[in-house]
Amino acid sequence: MNEADQHTTETLEERPTRGNRLYPRVTSFRSRRGSLTDPQQQCWDRRWPELGKEVGDEPLDVDAWFGRSAPLVLEIGSGTGTAAVAMAQAEPEVNLIAVEVYKPGIAQTLQNIERSCNTDAPIRNLRILRGDAVEVLEKMLTTASLTGVRVFFPDPWPKARHHKRRLLQAPTFALIADRLKPGGVLHVATDHADYAEAIAEVGDAEPRLARFTGTSPISLERPVTKFEDKAHQVGSAINEFVWGKIGA
């Protein structure tokens, strides 16, 4: 999950997610409640029916949802949508789905999309799924359906006993590799040194992925979020990884 709101917690219950065929898995996100302000709720009521869906068991009809066929990018853990909104504006030719669990963060994303409607660059290519990103990959997307996957600043779960909650582990890399088209890219960024080492080791071990070289099918330029800016201020190095799906 992206940005500062990912690093607060309400509960640390360790329950496996329902029906997950990958492995007995506890969620990689922290469960949080959050109420919406009146303007956020009003925007939600206007925009969510068109732009959002709850994560479910049925495969997505992506072309119907966007009203067109275009390269599809998935951002996992979009937080308040800073990166998703900026990158959607920068890549109008791409269909972007952002996955997030925190409702106020999604509401901020919807507000930013709505504000763009009064500019010269209205955002028409961003949709949002609320729920578990692994369930999205498993149940809602098909093999070789994605041109790109973005995971910016996932929760590092720094305590050793919580490492099993980390999103980017071998089974998730394997699932992402399956869902990427040949030549598609996985773009990851983290400010946590220990997690970066683990990500690099596991990502490099996935046989269908290789460190990316060449011209990317999607932009690798991302905005600096408030969360990343705080990391810079305390001297945390930003580790960035890009893998490509072998077989292009």
Side-chain angles (χ1 to χ4, degrees), residues 71-125:
L72 181 63
V73 176
L74 184 74
E75 182 182 340
I76 296 175
S78 56
T80 56
T82 301
V85 166
M87 297 179 90
Q89 282 184 309
E91 298 178 288
E93 74 282 2
V94 166
N95 289 342
L96 175 60
I97 295 177
V99 186
E100 179 53 58
V101 296
Y102 185 48
K103 190 172 182 179
I106 296 173
Q108 289 185 55
T109 306
L110 292 172
Q111 287 179 307
N112 286 329
I113 295 172
E114 188 169 72
R115 290 187 192 103
S116 79
C117 294
N118 298 319
T119 71
D120 293 334
I123 297 170
R124 307 187 193 280
N125 59 327

Side-chain angles (χ1 to χ4, degrees), residues 76-179:
I76 296 175
S78 56
T80 56
T82 301
V85 166
M87 297 179 90
Q89 282 184 309
E91 298 178 288
E93 74 282 2
V94 166
N95 289 342
L96 175 60
I97 295 177
V99 186
E100 179 53 58
V101 296
Y102 185 48
K103 190 172 182 179
I106 296 173
Q108 289 185 55
T109 306
L110 292 172
Q111 287 179 307
N112 286 329
I113 295 172
E114 188 169 72
R115 290 187 192 103
S116 79
C117 294
N118 298 319
T119 71
D120 293 334
I123 297 170
R124 307 187 193 280
N125 59 327
L126 177 57
R127 303 289 185 270
I128 305 167
L129 291 172
R130 186 181 182 210
D132 186 348
V134 172
E135 290 196 11
V136 173
L137 288 163
E138 281 196 307
K139 300 172 182 177
M140 303 184 77
L141 298 172
T142 57
T143 296
S145 59
L146 295 171
T147 299
V149 176
R150 292 168 173 150
V151 188
F152 299 150
F153 304 99
D155 197 319
W157 293 101
K159 294 182 180 179
R161 69 177 183 271
H162 292 148
H163 283 185
K164 61 190 174 183
R165 289 179 168 271
R166 288 176 168 177
L167 171 69
L168 293 175
Q169 301 187 59
T172 313
F173 269 100
L175 184 55
I176 290 171
D178 180 79
R179 297 310 189 243

